[in-house]
Amino acid sequence: AQPAHTVTDIPAGWPHEVAKQTVSQLVPTVQPYLAKLAHDYTERSQFEDGEIAALREKARQEDIEVSRLEDSSENLKDKTRRMVRELARLRRTKPVPGPPGLRGPPGKQGIQGPEGVGLPGLQGQTGPAGPVGPAGLQGPKGATGRAGAEGPA
């Protein structure tokens, strides 16, 4: 029977050598997977960084819009307060009108105004044609025309 080996029987450099050889055998097999993981991580992080930047910009724009709306709301509240105070002041100073009074007597007739410019009316329909008039005098004889081309003999 062989005696049982203990840890103290193994030289101290062997575990390191075994691990080193195991890693050197695994590296060529694992290297393509690690490269693909690194590439996928880089693509994902670039996409996510773009999305985060877009969300950050959208949040900034919405923050600006909220600030503008808050300012607008404050301005409208101030304007409403001013209008309420103005209406209260007008109610205190201006008396409320009562019911209308009786109608007064008619006034005297006014003078006639200047004559206006008349507007022409619509055009009327044309009437029937009249009789043909007598024949007129014969006019003077016209100038002699140029000679024509000689025809075949």
Side-chain angles (χ1 to χ4, degrees), residues 119-125:
L119 298 175
L122 298 174
Q123 184 172 351
Q125 294 179 349

Side-chain angles (χ1 to χ4, degrees), residues 79-90:
K79 189 174 182 181
T80 303
R81 282 189 215 108
R82 284 194 305 269
M83 289 178 70
V84 166
R85 283 195 300 266
E86 183 68 18
L87 285 173
R89 185 185 65 78
L90 287 174

Side-chain angles (χ1 to χ4, degrees), residues 20-95:
K20 195 165 136 183
Q21 288 177 5
T22 305
V23 168
S24 65
Q25 288 173 357
L26 286 178
V27 165
T29 307
V30 176
Q31 191 68 31
Y33 297 113
L34 291 176
K36 184 175 182 332
L37 282 174
H39 179 70
D40 290 347
Y41 176 76
T42 303
E43 283 183 351
R44 186 181 314 148
S45 66
Q46 287 175 350
F47 172 75
E48 288 171 352
D49 288 347
E51 290 294 313
I52 289 171
L55 288 173
R56 186 178 297 126
E57 178 63 22
K58 186 175 180 182
R60 189 180 70 78
Q61 291 292 336
E62 287 177 354
D63 188 38
I64 291 171
E65 182 69 13
V66 166
S67 298
R68 188 183 65 77
L69 290 174
E70 285 175 351
D71 292 345
S72 176
S73 172
E74 289 300 318
N75 288 342
L76 289 174
K77 285 178 185 176
D78 291 343
K79 189 174 182 181
T80 303
R81 282 189 215 108
R82 284 194 305 269
M83 289 178 70
V84 166
R85 283 195 300 266
E86 183 68 18
L87 285 173
R89 185 185 65 78
L90 287 174
R91 274 194 219 107
R92 288 191 306 264
T93 57
K94 184 177 177 185

